Amino acid sequence: MGFNNLSGFIIFAAALNAVCSGINEFMSKYQTLLYYCYTTIQNAEQFAADHLKFCKSLGLTGRIIVADEGLNGTVSGSPEACQAYMDAVMADERFAKTEFKIDNVDEPSFVKMHVRYKSEIVHSGLRDPQIINPNERTGKHLEPVDFLAMKDRDDVVILDVRSNYEHSLGKFKNAITLDIENFRDFPDKINELAQYKDKKILTYCTGGIKCEKASALLLHEGFEDVYQLHGGIIKYGKEAGGEDFEGKCYVFDNRLAVDVNSVNPTTISACRNCGKTTDKMINCANPECNEHFTQCEECGTQMEGCCSAECQTHPRKRVYDGTGYYVKVPQPVNVKKVKVANVQM
Ligand SMILES: [Zn+2]
Ligand SMILES: [Zn+2]
């Protein structure tokens, strides 16, 4: 087979490229799924127990929260197991509108499989469905390309509803951030936003789940023109190239942080210890501290993955393997000398 003109070759090359990227996609060793669904689950505690068995039967690992108000999860496994999981969830009419964000990964993003029943699928303290019910009233969903088109307008304010350790690692250019350690502190910060009541508020978070409640609360508090980034930063990275997202996105699995911006990427975070620019996110090796923070490779080695000299001398300090990610091992309480067996990724 030969090509006697250039355009013929280009078409062939393009076709070959398409086939190869298709194969790459197919050959990805594992996938990690991020999803949520606000829906009513009866007997949610029993559902959680059954769902755990089901996930284990598929060989998945991950963390799922089940509440009366819905489902919130990140699971990881082979592409076949992930597909079987998605098919089963979507086949259940309660969860038919669930959207899965799929990442290809080299290794599973978790070691174990947990399904836990909690009072809310994301802890906000806003659990009265009479007041805040995203299924009934929430901010208008903006697709990533529409968010991109709208975000720089003069009558728009971009609001990051995530916590300090998340927005210090990465955030949208010009976004307003809140000084909160946990999403449950969000309602207390609403008063600080009163000056923006006449603006269009565009909220965003990691995968969209927090915005469902945050934007609902803003509407409840009298903000009139409220929007939310549908699918969060993760979907924005996939569909809008992550443009103008500065830094990395914190995620709640062993990757700790993922790249978002393939258009104009920057690093906005600095090493806690020496101030050098770095986007390496770790958890402090002292399990009682476990703070999420950014630390450069050199300081990581020197301080054994600890945030401070104090943590470095802690008797239960975990072995730092360079990742700064630790599997949660239940710890005995009030035991003086504990030999911590770290199961690490
Ligand atoms: Zn450093
Ligand atoms: Zn620490």
Side-chain angles (χ1 to χ4, degrees):
M1 182 165 67
F3 296 103
N4 51 14
N5 64 53
L6 184 61
S7 64
F9 177 74
I10 289 170
I11 291 166
F12 172 75
L16 186 68
N17 196 24
V19 169
C20 288
S21 67
I23 289 172
N24 282 342
E25 191 86 355
F26 180 72
M27 302 252 301
S28 115
K29 277 190 258 165
Y30 299 96
Q31 289 180 332
T32 295
L33 311 176
L34 178 69
Y35 60 95
Y36 68 87
C37 185
Y38 281 98
T39 186
T40 303
I41 302 178
Q42 310 287 350
N43 303 321
E45 274 189 90
Q46 183 59 48
F47 176 88
D50 296 342
H51 202 65
L52 174 62
K53 280 183 205 148
F54 174 64
C55 292
K56 284 185 170 173
S57 76
L58 291 175
L60 295 170
T61 58
R63 204 174 295 154
I64 299 172
I65 298 168
V66 174
D68 302 353
E69 65 176 8
L71 199 59
N72 171 19
T74 312
V75 297
S76 202
S78 70
E80 296 75 23
C82 287
Q83 191 59 51
Y85 180 77
M86 289 188 282
D87 290 345
V89 170
M90 302 288 278
D92 186 323
E93 63 178 23
R94 291 172 293 181
F95 312 120
K97 64 179 179 188
T98 308
E99 289 180 33
F100 291 91
K101 288 160 281 269
I102 307 170
D103 275 335
N104 294 314
V105 291
D106 291 332
E107 56 182 35
S109 299
F110 296 89
V111 173
K112 292 180 179 175
M113 186 70 235
H114 294 287
V115 181
R116 294 202 170 91
Y117 172 77
K118 292 191 177 179
S119 60
E120 294 180 276
I121 52 175
V122 61
H123 187 22
S124 68
L126 306 170
R127 66 188 68 161
D128 184 351
Q130 303 299 332
I131 298 172
I132 300 296
N133 182 349
N135 277 329
E136 279 172 13
R137 191 168 183 236
T138 186
K140 285 167 243 169
H141 292 91
L142 280 180
E143 290 308 312
V145 290
D146 300 322
F147 183 93
L148 175 63
M150 227 173 127
K151 71 180 183 55
D152 294 325
R153 283 169 45 165
D154 289 339
D155 58 343
V156 160
V157 164
I158 307 172
L159 175 64
D160 192 321
V161 305
R162 302 170 306 150
S163 305
N164 290 336
Y165 62 88
E166 298 174 291
H167 61 66
S168 65
L169 181 69
K171 65 178 185 65
F172 275 102
K173 190 175 83 184
N174 301 327
I176 292 164
T177 56
L178 302 172
D179 180 15
I180 53 175
E181 298 299 329
N182 195 296
F183 185 58
R184 65 174 170 262
D185 300 326
F186 176 78
D188 292 337
K189 292 286 172 179
I190 286 234
N191 291 339
E192 292 178 14
L193 303 170
Q195 54 182 309
Y196 306 117
K197 269 201 170 153
D198 59 339
K199 303 265 192 188
K200 294 181 194 304
I201 312 277
L202 270 56
T203 72
Y204 72 89
C205 62
T206 312
I209 186 172
K210 290 176 182 172
C211 284
E212 299 279 357
K213 282 190 176 174
S215 64
L217 185 65
L218 288 166
L219 289 167
H220 179 74
E221 294 293 322
F223 291 80
E224 284 170 8
D225 219 2
V226 184
Y227 301 78
Q228 56 184 313
L229 175 56
H230 186 206
I233 299 160
I234 301 297
K235 184 164 141 149
Y236 182 84
K238 294 181 195 305
E239 295 183 11
E243 187 173 342
D244 289 340
F245 187 85
E246 300 174 328
K248 284 190 170 189
C249 181
Y250 184 88
V251 291
F252 300 85
D253 58 60
N254 66 11
R255 295 171 294 169
L256 290 176
V258 296
D259 289 320
V260 174
N261 189 337
S262 54
V263 179
N264 52 354
T266 52
T267 302
I268 62 165
S269 45
C271 174
R272 152 85 64 103
N273 307 100
C274 73
K276 198 171 94 181
T277 301
T278 182
D279 55 14
K280 187 173 183 202
M281 189 80 187
I282 69 164
N283 294 326
C284 179
N286 170 6
E288 284 174 21
C289 169
N290 202 43
E291 188 174 333
H292 317 300
F293 67 104
T294 42
Q295 187 178 57
C296 74
E297 297 284 352
E298 294 75 28
C299 290
T301 307
Q302 210 179 338
M303 302 192 63
E304 300 171 283
C306 293
C307 71
S308 63
E310 199 186 339
C311 283
Q312 202 175 352
T313 58
H314 195 276
R316 281 178 44 203
K317 182 180 57 133
R318 300 169 288 195
V319 178
Y320 179 64
D321 69 353
T323 65
Y325 176 80
Y326 306 93
V327 174
K328 277 186 192 159
V329 180
Q331 300 292 338
V333 184
N334 295 331
V335 176
K336 269 190 186 155
K337 212 178 171 195
V338 183
K339 175 95 181 89
V340 182
N342 274 320
V343 189
Q344 292 181 348
M345 296 296 298

